[in-house]
Amino acid sequence: MSLLLEQLVLTQSQLFLKDVIEGLRLDQKELSSKYFYDAERDLLFQQIMASEDYYLTRCEEDIFRNKTSELTLAITNRGTLFDLIELGAGDGSKTLFLLKELIDQGEDFDFFPIDISKNILEILGQNLQESLPELSFHLTEGDYFEALREIVTASHKRKVVLFLGSNIGNMSPGESLEFCRHLSDLLSPGDLVIMGFDLRKNPATILRAYSDREGITSKFNLNLLRRINRELGGDFNLSQFEHYQSYDPISGACKSYLVSLSDQKVTIGDQIILFKENEPIYMEVSQKFSPEEIDALAVNSSFSVIANWYDSKKWFVDAIWEVQ
């Protein structure tokens, strides 16, 4: 390993440690969801997406499978060359429907999938090579906005940005507005964004999606403690923490926690963190939206609403916005 790479790895490890310790020393303990993904969690998340209770993936796949022609027309009807960029691309299972349709229509474009997980990008790259060998794609690991800024600077083609899977829901309302404003600032008038939103619905349906009967979501969250043990020298006893999910139908916030089952002491490196019995660690939010909230988010971040595509149950929507 080169000295530069060693320094980079060390810096990333130090940042991970700093964020974990600072988060666990807050009055309301929390862990950043940006550290959720490693190879094991990627596999667990794929299992979550395939589970019976997790409806989100099936609903959005319904849109991409059955409304592909409408999606394609919205992207191509301006008649100019474009780059297709996906933030948080994952394994690309839904995007494959759109990519295939664009290729079948003879469109000339480059695909830039961006993700923070190197492992999932490697899986995506293999899928793309096998399924669409004629596709020109460029795997990009890293921060969404840093990668997008580099692509925008390097290419002057029109930009079409995908942000699917209701990833926007992993932010608070204030954070999602800031995110969308930053996105519009990076893009140019006429550029498009296609963004997936999980809609408000029966609270029991939502809660079950994040507290599945198979217990995969619980394993998914507990795996972050396992990663802290492995990479930061922690000694979390995973059997002493339990996954807990809540959903507030008034605010639309679906929040996940890990709850300490006893008074306990956890060591991470040379730091000691004390937990009280029943004390929660806040893990992440999965915000649910109304159509009115989605339209307001677009307008308040300098986008105009072009169209909304719903799945057959009207549980999920992919909105297409244009930069004003």
Side-chain angles (χ1 to χ4, degrees):
M1 182 183 293
S2 69
L3 178 60
L4 179 61
L5 184 57
E6 287 179 352
Q7 291 174 338
L8 178 60
V9 170
L10 181 60
T11 301
Q12 290 173 338
S13 179
Q14 288 175 329
L15 180 60
F16 183 19
L17 177 61
K18 174 178 177 292
D19 288 344
V20 166
I21 297 300
E22 288 182 353
L24 293 179
R25 290 206 183 282
L26 294 173
D27 290 338
Q28 166 59 74
K29 290 180 171 63
E30 64 179 42
L31 289 171
S32 174
S33 60
K34 71 181 179 181
Y35 295 113
F36 274 11
Y37 293 93
D38 58 10
E40 185 171 351
R41 287 180 73 99
D42 288 340
L43 178 60
L44 286 168
F45 189 64
Q46 288 179 301
Q47 292 175 10
I48 288 171
M49 291 191 295
S51 72
E52 182 180 350
D53 293 324
Y54 193 79
Y55 60 83
L56 287 82
T57 303
R58 291 191 299 277
C59 287
E60 192 166 35
E61 185 176 305
D62 180 353
I63 297 170
F64 272 74
R65 182 188 296 272
N66 296 311
K67 300 191 177 179
T68 322
S69 57
E70 291 97 322
L71 288 163
T72 300
L73 181 61
I75 292 171
T76 61
N77 64 4
R78 288 158 173 76
T80 55
L81 295 176
F82 64 92
D83 293 318
L84 184 65
I85 304 163
E86 183 168 7
L87 309 180
D91 65 2
S93 56
K94 292 165 291 191
T95 315
L96 281 173
F97 295 104
L98 177 61
L99 295 171
K100 186 177 187 306
E101 180 70 14
L102 288 168
I103 290 172
D104 289 346
Q105 294 291 333
E107 296 296 330
D108 183 13
F109 67 99
D110 286 316
F111 178 46
F112 296 85
I114 302 169
D115 206 287
I116 60 174
S117 171
K118 180 179 180 180
N119 174 70
I120 202 67
L121 281 174
E122 291 174 351
I123 293 172
L124 173 59
Q126 293 173 358
N127 291 343
L128 293 175
Q129 287 177 342
E130 293 172 4
S131 304
L132 300 170
E134 63 272 53
L135 175 67
S136 173
F137 66 91
H138 313 271
L139 303 177
T140 307
E141 179 189 358
D143 175 81
Y144 294 162
F145 288 128
E146 289 179 7
L148 181 58
R149 187 178 293 107
E150 291 179 5
I151 296 168
V152 168
T153 301
S155 169
H156 299 292
K157 295 179 185 177
R158 182 168 58 93
K159 301 294 181 286
V160 179
V161 177
L162 306 177
F163 193 46
L164 308 179
S166 198
N167 283 327
I168 189 70
N170 295 135
M171 310 173 197
S172 69
E175 290 169 339
S176 62
L177 178 59
E178 181 181 357
F179 178 93
C180 291
R181 285 177 173 171
H182 195 177
L183 184 57
S184 66
D185 287 343
L186 279 175
L187 299 174
S188 301
D191 288 346
L192 299 178
V193 171
I194 300 176
M195 192 172 296
F197 295 88
D198 190 20
L199 297 172
R200 298 190 187 215
K201 58 186 69 65
N202 187 303
T205 300
I206 291 173
L207 195 56
R208 191 163 54 245
Y210 297 90
S211 189
D212 60 282
R213 287 166 283 189
E214 300 165 86
I216 305 170
T217 307
S218 174
K219 294 177 184 177
F220 182 77
N221 282 322
L222 285 166
N223 188 65
L224 182 49
L225 304 188
R226 184 177 289 108
R227 182 182 178 189
I228 292 170
N229 286 350
R230 183 177 65 249
E231 297 183 18
L232 301 180
D235 63 356
F236 277 101
N237 181 347
L238 272 62
S239 68
Q240 288 301 303
F241 289 86
E242 184 174 75
H243 169 71
Y244 174 74
Q245 195 73 37
S246 70
Y247 176 61
D248 177 9
I250 303 300
S251 68
C254 188
K255 296 182 178 181
S256 63
Y257 302 86
L258 290 176
V259 179
S260 174
L261 299 180
S262 63
D263 291 338
Q264 57 182 306
K265 177 178 69 175
V266 173
T267 302
I268 305 172
D270 60 357
Q271 302 292 312
I272 295 175
I273 307 295
L274 299 178
F275 289 87
K276 296 178 181 178
E277 184 177 6
N278 300 320
E279 184 177 10
I281 308 171
Y282 171 61
M283 302 297 284
E284 67 173 343
V285 65
S286 299
Q287 186 71 32
K288 309 308 171 187
F289 298 84
S290 69
E292 294 78 16
E293 289 170 331
I294 295 168
D295 289 348
L297 180 59
V299 171
N300 291 331
S301 50
S302 300
F303 289 100
S304 57
V305 180
I306 303 302
N308 291 307
W309 292 289
Y310 295 86
D311 69 293
S312 57
K313 293 182 177 180
K314 293 202 171 179
W315 282 6
F316 198 96
V317 63
D318 280 300
I320 183 165
W321 299 345
E322 183 175 359
V323 181
Q324 296 178 352

